[in-house]
Amino acid sequence: MQRPSYHIFRFVTGVVYRASRRFTGPGVYVLSFAVVAGAIGVDTTQSVAYQAFGLLFALMVVSALCLPFLRARVDVERELPRIATAGQPFVYRARVTNPGNGALDGLCLYEDLADPRPAHEVYRTAIGFPTYRAWKRLVDASEIARVAERPVPALPPGTTVEIEVQAHALKRGIVHSRGVTVGRADPLGLLRALSSLPRQANLVVLPRRYPLPPFTLPGSRRYQQGGVALAASVGDSEEFVGLRDYRPGDPLQRIHWKSFARAAKPVVREYQNEYFERHALALDTFARPGDERRFEEAVSIAASFVYTIETQECLLDLMFIGARAYSHTGGRGQLSPASLLEILAGVQPCREHKFPALAEAVLARRQALSGCICVLLDWDEPRRELARMLRAQGIALRVVVVTDQPVDERPPWLLVVEPGRVAEGLAGMQSRYRTPYHDHDGEHERSMAAGRSTVAPARALHE
């Protein structure tokens, strides 16, 4: 039952998609009236509706016979943006050139996005009893962006026109475009002749982001392996310690040439080890089937932290589990917030591993971490155990749990956010996180005196 229904639904969706491009608005009405007139006028002795059917059918046939002679030979160059944001519209420009000797009119432009129809394995997993309504919901959920049909003004010979194409980013991910299709209406305005132009392009749709209230990220500075190579000019400056003999692997930029000439052997400058803050942002990707909405909200919350936290004074490690454990570092000469957002745009739920894999990856870096922000999908015992172990190691902690289940015990470092009300939940974060990560006396004051990293509320979401 599953496989036949899948092929039937897939075929029907393909026919509807092609018909929406092939038929113009008036053409859809003429075809509908022809079908109705044909059904009413089956008995020619009882009704004259068959005459209307004959006329409408003749119009459709004439339009169809014109299509082979109407294919538009044009050149199209479009300037797709590199990134967009989920839930927001965007506009891009396209230049259409008529290289021929005749004028062209009745043109329209379509973007050929990747096929959103799911594979059979996804269909079988997501749909229990096969209905076309469930299939349509699944197809709509697979769409990352929608691009509207764009009419093109009349093109005299050898001219170029620039148009703006309206589009809407529906969800995060990567939009693959195979090219564009140029349609040209027949003289009756019922059907379109279609010409496909392969112009492959990709567009990254970043996760939705929420504004965060200002709050402090306290935590003591710790030694970072890699030293000056990880330090930027802001915060810790290089401090000269002394000279020593060259050892294999030392960079040539550190050679002290005067001492090299005097001692007749390589001598290098030595600098002190670097100490600064490093925070981990752990994203829970272990979503069960049916938890896709909560998972998307969790990704959006993680994106909000990535985009808003000032990383000029600290390092931020984005950690999550996919096919393996991933860790991407931003700040102080490492990845930019925009790069981390692009990484989050491609994060998918993990079905192959369990939550302890993320806990192990986070705890493996506990020696270098000043603090940790965990964005979780549940508050069960494995996740509580991770919080206990981090606090036992003296690591500053913030936890955001995206769940609609009641959570009885809520310490100051724990924030529970309901799906669908994320903005309201994050708005109360400042009052919830008014205390430091730890409950130790005086830790917050010492952190503030040392100039700890803070969330920057002034950064615009569309900067």
Side-chain angles (χ1 to χ4, degrees):
M1 186 66 180
Q2 288 279 351
R3 187 170 291 275
S5 63
Y6 170 77
H7 289 293
I8 292 173
F9 293 157
R10 187 179 178 88
F11 173 76
V12 171
T13 305
V15 170
V16 172
Y17 172 78
R18 291 177 176 83
S20 64
R21 292 192 168 191
R22 181 68 69 178
F23 287 87
T24 64
V28 172
Y29 285 111
V30 170
L31 178 64
S32 302
F33 293 151
V35 172
V36 172
I40 297 176
V42 172
D43 188 353
T44 58
T45 62
Q46 300 293 327
S47 173
V48 295
Y50 70 92
Q51 298 179 1
F53 169 77
L55 174 62
L56 297 175
F57 182 76
L59 292 176
M60 298 298 297
V61 170
V62 171
S63 296
L65 293 177
C66 294
L67 295 185
F69 307 98
L70 295 175
R71 293 186 181 275
R73 293 176 175 83
V74 297
D75 295 329
V76 179
E77 295 181 3
R78 65 199 194 286
E79 300 176 355
L80 285 173
R82 193 177 66 87
I83 59 174
T85 301
Q88 296 183 3
F90 63 95
V91 178
Y92 67 90
R93 294 182 177 276
R95 289 185 294 274
V96 185
T97 303
N98 177 14
N101 298 323
L104 297 176
D105 58 358
L107 302 180
C108 58
L109 201 63
Y110 300 94
E111 191 74 32
D112 295 334
L113 302 181
D115 192 348
R117 293 176 294 183
H120 179 259
E121 292 75 14
V122 178
Y123 170 78
R124 183 178 57 186
T125 304
I127 297 180
F129 184 77
T131 62
Y132 188 77
R133 178 178 296 180
W135 163 265
K136 191 67 170 61
R137 285 199 301 264
L138 188 59
V139 172
D140 292 341
S142 301
E143 286 187 291
I144 300 177
R146 289 178 182 172
V147 182
E149 169 193 342
R150 180 62 168 88
V152 180
L155 286 174
T159 60
T160 300
V161 64
E162 187 174 279
I163 59 176
E164 288 187 350
V165 182
Q166 304 287 335
H168 192 87
L170 303 177
K171 55 181 290 188
R172 65 179 181 88
I174 301 177
V175 180
H176 301 284
S177 175
R178 302 186 303 270
V180 296
T181 294
V182 180
R184 186 183 183 188
D186 68 276
L188 298 178
L190 304 180
L191 298 175
R192 296 189 185 97
L194 302 178
S195 303
S196 297
L197 301 176
R199 302 285 190 275
Q200 294 187 1
N202 294 327
L203 168 67
V204 178
V205 179
L206 303 180
R208 186 193 306 269
R209 301 184 291 276
Y210 298 99
L212 296 180
F215 69 95
T216 304
L217 295 180
S220 59
R221 299 188 179 193
R222 301 195 178 190
Y223 168 66
Q224 305 298 325
Q225 187 175 3
V228 180
L230 289 177
S233 59
V234 179
D236 297 291
S237 60
E238 302 179 6
E239 183 172 344
F240 176 73
V241 176
L243 300 174
R244 60 171 174 80
D245 291 341
Y246 174 84
R247 291 196 293 262
D250 288 335
L252 296 180
Q253 292 86 347
R254 292 191 179 183
I255 293 180
H256 192 261
W257 296 103
K258 292 182 179 180
S259 299
F260 186 5
R262 184 167 52 252
K265 61 179 181 179
V267 178
V268 298
R269 294 183 295 268
E270 188 174 15
Y271 297 91
Q272 70 172 6
N273 293 329
E274 294 297 333
Y275 292 81
F276 44 86
E277 292 183 30
R278 186 171 201 149
H279 301 276
L281 176 57
L283 174 61
D284 186 354
T285 57
F286 304 97
R288 296 183 294 270
D291 289 344
E292 287 76 12
R293 182 186 179 187
R294 288 199 296 130
F295 176 70
E296 292 299 325
E297 297 283 24
V299 174
S300 297
I301 293 173
S304 302
F305 279 107
V306 165
Y307 192 77
T308 312
I309 291 177
E310 280 291 349
T311 53
Q312 292 182 349
E313 298 289 345
C314 66
L315 292 176
L316 182 65
D317 294 334
L318 173 62
M319 306 180 69
F320 58 90
I321 303 296
R324 58 180 179 84
Y326 293 93
S327 178
H328 303 275
T329 303
R332 302 185 74 94
Q334 305 301 301
L335 295 177
S336 65
S339 300
L340 294 179
L341 289 176
E342 291 184 22
I343 294 171
L344 284 173
V347 173
Q348 298 298 325
C350 180
R351 313 292 189 191
E352 303 173 358
H353 304 281
K354 301 297 183 181
F355 183 81
L358 178 61
E360 181 181 351
V362 174
L363 293 173
R365 297 199 172 192
R366 61 186 181 275
Q367 298 298 331
L369 292 179
S370 305
C372 181
I373 302 173
C374 298
V375 182
L376 306 179
L377 298 174
D378 206 345
W379 191 233
D380 52 9
E381 186 55 34
R383 291 163 175 83
R384 289 192 183 98
E385 181 63 22
L386 172 61
R388 285 194 293 265
M389 295 183 69
L390 289 174
R391 289 173 57 79
Q393 294 290 331
I395 298 175
L397 182 64
R398 298 277 194 244
V399 177
V400 180
V401 181
V402 185
T403 180
D404 50 8
Q405 300 298 323
V407 177
D408 298 331
E409 185 180 355
R410 299 189 184 185
W413 42 265
L414 175 64
L415 178 68
V416 179
V417 177
E418 296 182 15
R421 302 183 60 186
V422 176
E424 294 86 341
L426 293 179
M429 186 171 60
Q430 184 177 12
S431 59
R432 186 70 181 173
Y433 289 166
R434 62 184 180 274
T435 58
Y437 285 101
H438 303 291
D439 297 329
H440 301 163
D441 294 337
E443 177 68 22
H444 182 55
E445 288 76 8
R446 290 193 297 271
S447 299
M448 293 298 292
R452 299 305 178 212
S453 305
T454 59
V455 169
R459 177 183 290 183
L461 290 181
H462 305 289
E463 182 178 313

